[in-house]
Amino acid sequence: MSFQDTEEKSKSMAQMVWEQFKEHRLALISLFIIGLFIIMALGAPFVTKWTGISPDDQNVFSRYLPLMSKSEVSADDTSNRLAASVNTRLHILGTDELGRDVLIRLVYGARISMGIGLVVALISALVGLLIGSLAGVYGGWIDTVLMRVTDSLLSLPLLPILIVFAAVDLNKLPFFASLVENQSQSIFKLVFILCLFSWMTVARLVRGSILSIKEREFILAARTMGASRAEIIITHMVPNILAPLLVAVTLNVGQSILSEAALSFLGLGIQPPIPSWGNMLFNAQEIITQAPLLAIFPGLLILIVVVCFNFVGDGLQNAVDPKALRR
Amino acid sequence: MTTFIIRRLIQTVITIAMLSFVCFYILSLMPGDPVDILASSNPHITSEDVARLKALYGLDKPAYVRYMNWLKTVITGDLGYSRTYKIPVSELIGPRLANTFFLSLAALGLSILVAIPLGIIAALKQGTKFDYVINLGAFAGISVPSFWLGIVLILAFSVWLGMFPAGGTFTIGAGELSGWEFIKDRMKYMTLPVLSLTALQLGSFVRYARSSMIESMRADYIRTARAKGLSRLTVVLGHGFRNALIPLVTVIAISFSFIFSGAIITETVFAYQGVGKLVYDSVIANDFNVAMIAFMISVAMVLVMNLVADILYGYLDPRISYG
């Protein structure tokens, strides 16, 4: 009966949100920029294909090249040294301390940094959804225990905890050691740690919305019509929680990108040679007088992307909250 | 109120106790234990020696036994000995705490002084260009990576302008400075870290100040105050701001945790000898005793500040009752 009804209503709700969202000009621009960055990240392998530059190509003879400079690379170092197959490569943003192209590393760094941000936000949203709804729906001692844990975790200073957890040697935990091979171990570890400490806001939010929805008439109506608990949760509660959840996830992406960058900068996150925006800054401080620009670019990209995610989150917040000010 | 405070106090103590065990366990998972490190730097140690040393120091026992041993010694006041600094942890931690305390306090004070007027003005001029610019700045402040901000500040003020030192806590080899000279020397080294921490904190304070002020200026008592014919200044400061202050105080008290997180990065970037840098350095250097104490102190400080915030909230807002 009401199935078609809700379908239509949720669609119009999405339209309303979109219309309201469009009013927030900065949020709209931010969404566009994020889109560009995602396309760039996805297209990274194609960039390598076209230009022939890969992020791991080291070249001792072309270290610290300035912007828009060219380096000469012999096509095949060992066998073809005498052949005249020397081609030049253009380094738009110059090269770093190992002669690697900065631009291509930034492009590949976008894959890691934004990928981790998005994955962490999504996983922690799922975890938060699960814990928040368990607490909200069942109440009682489950609620008390879960919310105590959530509050305790929320009150902790994030970074010291992340540093201590990130320093763990996974090989001492036999279960994890067998789970992943060495190359991507640091990525897996970082995602796991970040997820561990970023689900709490979502859980609180979900629990809060469920508690307020629980008492509403349409839930009572559904219950009197004999709907099961699962049915009520899936068809009535989830759509109502979705809007604030979306806001929280968006803001979480920015936060996760910042955390990843901070840990990688400290040398505890993504391990080289895999480039991430954070670990590109790892030794930027030591060579700051020789190559100040190496320290500028990755941080600038982090700033831009995180600002964009925060603006989109703000725009969504305004759009889904009927009490929010109309701009 | 008293029962509330006691309950929260017990809760805080339990959290700290549980966390200390978790932290102990996690730190024991760090690569290498003290004896392994000792053995790796000395080729004459045989594997039998290693086993004997491990048995001697109880390192072969499971984590919870070692934790209980550690706890027993810490409670008696013996915080252990630092492997990298070669001094007792209790001597190491005091000056570091003072350094971090001054840094955080200066940053907190400065950001409050700047953020609250900006937030109030932005709230009163809602929707104008000024509001727009403040908003943009606040978003940038929230989103900027702390370590990068530090690097940029170093680049601008010490590499290019040469105004401040790039890092450190005080001039090494300057000897015993006294009075004003001492303060001036410290200030020179603290300026950039304080600026960096302040910029990080400013964004969220401005946003909270602005939204809380907007909220309170919409209330009925503002209309009443205006209708009474009070001057605009009295309405804004005496009625609007006083009520906006209540949520702000909690935000500021809770922000201590954030400042502390920020201080780790800021202290590391600027090589400022505070507790945050100590946590990081000891984790990196596998200095177990130091890492454990530095970490526990920082977490305990944050939790106690949260407790203070909760209690303060009750005193400031008589409408809140604690069941």
Side-chain angles (χ1 to χ4, degrees):
Chain A
M1 29 96 249
S2 67
F3 187 71
Q4 223 167 5
D5 221 59
T6 47
E7 185 86 64
E8 199 183 312
K9 208 174 168 201
S10 76
K11 199 173 163 192
S12 74
M13 161 108 179
Q15 271 170 355
M16 262 164 57
V17 167
W18 173 240
E19 245 143 57
Q20 189 62 40
F21 181 79
K22 277 195 296 189
E23 305 252 306
H24 196 318
R25 223 175 43 202
L26 284 172
L28 203 62
I29 297 170
S30 301
L31 193 65
F32 181 69
I33 295 175
I34 291 173
L36 284 184
F37 268 99
I38 289 178
I39 291 171
M40 180 182 95
L42 291 178
F46 295 104
V47 180
T48 298
K49 216 180 233 174
W50 289 330
T51 57
I53 307 173
S54 96
D56 300 330
D57 275 354
Q58 300 181 9
N59 189 348
V60 225
F61 301 110
S62 56
R63 300 165 68 205
Y64 300 120
L65 289 182
L67 306 186
M68 298 303 287
S69 56
K70 284 177 180 157
S71 72
E72 293 190 345
V73 185
S74 46
D76 195 352
D77 285 18
T78 43
S79 60
N80 235 359
R81 190 160 293 172
L82 292 175
S85 65
V86 175
N87 43 13
T88 56
R89 282 176 183 170
L90 178 65
H91 300 291
I92 295 175
L93 294 181
T95 57
D96 66 1
E97 73 273 17
L98 293 175
R100 295 173 295 195
D101 185 79
V102 173
L103 180 63
I104 196 79
R105 283 182 70 75
L106 286 175
V107 170
Y108 272 87
R111 276 168 96 90
I112 300 294
S113 294
M114 294 182 70
I116 286 183
L118 288 167
V119 168
V120 168
L122 282 179
I123 295 179
S124 55
L126 288 180
V127 175
L129 191 64
L130 183 72
I131 290 178
S133 33
L134 278 179
V137 171
Y138 288 101
W141 65 270
I142 296 180
D143 182 32
T144 315
V145 169
L146 287 179
M147 282 304 114
R148 266 292 168 277
V149 173
T150 309
D151 283 345
S152 312
L153 284 178
L154 260 182
S155 67
L156 297 175
L158 186 63
L159 209 56
I161 305 247
L162 287 180
I163 285 178
V164 168
F165 272 76
V168 168
D169 184 1
L170 281 190
N171 293 321
K172 281 203 180 181
L173 291 171
F175 170 70
F176 285 107
S178 61
L179 211 59
V180 276
E181 73 277 26
N182 257 346
Q183 174 78 125
S184 53
Q185 201 186 47
S186 65
I187 299 179
F188 178 82
K189 189 168 97 176
L190 198 62
V191 168
F192 181 76
I193 294 168
L194 289 179
C195 288
L196 212 54
F197 294 102
S198 52
W199 53 267
M200 292 89 72
T201 35
V202 175
R204 292 236 65 152
L205 196 92
V206 169
R207 172 183 175 268
S209 342
I210 286 182
L211 284 187
S212 74
I213 294 168
K214 222 165 141 181
E215 306 303 321
R216 300 265 282 277
E217 287 81 0
F218 61 86
I219 299 291
L220 186 67
R223 200 175 292 153
T224 36
M225 278 187 278
S228 71
R229 225 172 200 168
E231 227 174 318
I232 291 178
I233 291 170
I234 292 167
T235 57
H236 297 282
M237 288 194 165
V238 170
N240 281 295
I241 296 166
L242 227 52
L245 189 65
L246 201 61
V247 177
V249 171
T250 314
L251 294 177
N252 228 341
V253 176
Q255 212 46 55
S256 306
I257 291 178
L258 279 182
S259 302
E260 180 274 318
L263 284 178
S264 298
F265 167 72
L266 292 174
L268 292 166
I270 305 299
Q271 298 303 321
I274 305 170
S276 94
W277 291 340
N279 76 13
M280 285 177 74
L281 286 164
F282 178 52
N283 47 8
Q285 209 181 343
E286 274 118 70
I287 53 174
I288 198 167
T289 44
Q290 300 163 58
L293 283 178
L294 285 185
I296 301 278
F297 290 130
L300 205 59
L301 290 193
I302 299 172
L303 176 64
I304 292 172
V305 168
V306 176
V307 164
C308 286
F309 273 109
N310 282 345
F311 270 130
V312 170
D314 191 51
L316 278 176
Q317 177 90 63
N318 280 357
V320 298
D321 181 8
K323 279 180 299 183
L325 317 157
R326 301 271 184 264
R327 276 165 201 267
Chain B
M1 189 71 188
T2 323
T3 49
F4 168 76
I5 293 176
I6 292 171
R7 212 177 58 204
R8 283 286 280 111
L9 206 63
I10 293 172
Q11 205 179 312
T12 306
V13 170
I14 291 176
T15 311
I16 292 176
M18 272 167 60
L19 207 69
S20 73
F21 176 69
V22 171
C23 179
F24 191 93
Y25 181 67
I26 293 291
L27 283 178
S28 75
L29 291 177
M30 286 198 312
D33 63 36
V35 175
D36 283 338
I37 295 168
L38 187 77
S40 67
S41 61
N42 187 343
H44 299 299
I45 295 183
T46 61
S47 54
E48 289 86 50
D49 289 335
V50 169
R52 203 146 37 83
L53 277 172
K54 282 193 179 178
L56 178 64
Y57 291 112
L59 286 169
D60 52 346
K61 302 218 167 61
Y64 68 93
V65 178
R66 279 183 285 149
Y67 173 71
M68 290 318 288
N69 288 339
W70 176 82
L71 198 62
K72 266 181 226 154
T73 42
V74 165
I75 283 174
T76 59
D78 179 10
L79 300 185
Y81 195 79
S82 162
R83 207 171 52 75
T84 44
Y85 296 92
K86 313 282 184 208
I87 50 171
V89 177
S90 45
E91 281 173 35
L92 184 66
I93 214 107
R96 296 298 192 104
L97 262 178
N99 284 346
T100 295
F101 181 72
F102 287 127
L103 177 68
S104 316
L105 210 65
L108 191 64
L110 191 62
S111 45
I112 291 171
L113 281 182
V114 177
I116 287 185
L118 283 183
I120 291 178
I121 298 171
L124 295 179
K125 296 190 170 187
Q126 205 190 332
T128 62
K129 267 223 174 76
F130 180 83
D131 184 30
Y132 197 72
V133 170
I134 291 289
N135 238 329
L136 206 66
F139 265 99
I142 293 170
S143 315
V144 71
S146 47
F147 52 98
W148 183 69
L149 184 66
I151 292 176
V152 169
L153 284 176
I154 289 176
L155 203 57
F157 288 101
S158 58
V159 176
W160 288 336
L161 295 175
M163 283 162 67
F164 298 104
T169 322
F170 51 85
T171 310
I172 295 164
E176 282 286 307
L177 295 170
S178 58
W180 181 235
E181 285 295 313
F182 175 79
I183 296 173
K184 235 168 71 179
D185 186 56
R186 282 298 177 97
M187 293 265 278
K188 207 171 68 186
Y189 283 91
M190 259 177 69
T191 309
L192 287 185
V194 167
L195 270 184
S196 158
L197 260 186
T198 305
L200 292 175
Q201 194 53 61
L202 213 53
S204 76
F205 279 1
V206 167
R207 275 169 58 79
Y208 276 116
R210 178 178 174 275
S211 64
S212 145
M213 191 67 190
I214 288 177
E215 193 84 7
S216 103
M217 286 303 281
R218 268 204 236 127
D220 289 339
Y221 48 76
I222 295 292
R223 201 181 312 142
T224 314
R226 277 212 186 111
K228 276 200 297 191
L230 295 177
S231 75
R232 182 158 169 77
L233 199 69
T234 320
V235 173
V236 168
L237 291 182
H239 294 78
F241 179 59
R242 273 191 72 167
N243 283 289
L245 210 56
I246 298 170
L248 263 184
V249 168
T250 351
V251 167
I252 288 169
I254 286 175
S255 76
F256 201 77
S257 136
F258 184 85
I259 287 197
F260 206 88
S261 283
I264 283 202
I265 298 266
T266 309
E267 285 172 3
T268 307
V269 170
F270 291 99
Y272 185 86
Q273 302 296 321
V275 183
K277 186 165 160 47
L278 196 61
V279 171
Y280 173 68
D281 284 348
S282 56
V283 166
I284 290 294
N286 259 313
D287 200 342
F288 187 87
N289 289 336
V290 182
M292 198 61 205
I293 297 295
F295 179 80
M296 285 324 296
I297 284 187
S298 35
V299 168
M301 258 177 7
V302 166
L303 289 178
V304 168
M305 280 310 285
N306 288 345
L307 180 66
V308 170
D310 272 5
I311 295 169
L312 217 59
Y313 203 42
Y315 276 114
L316 281 172
D317 194 346
R319 284 169 294 187
I320 293 172
S321 70
Y322 297 98

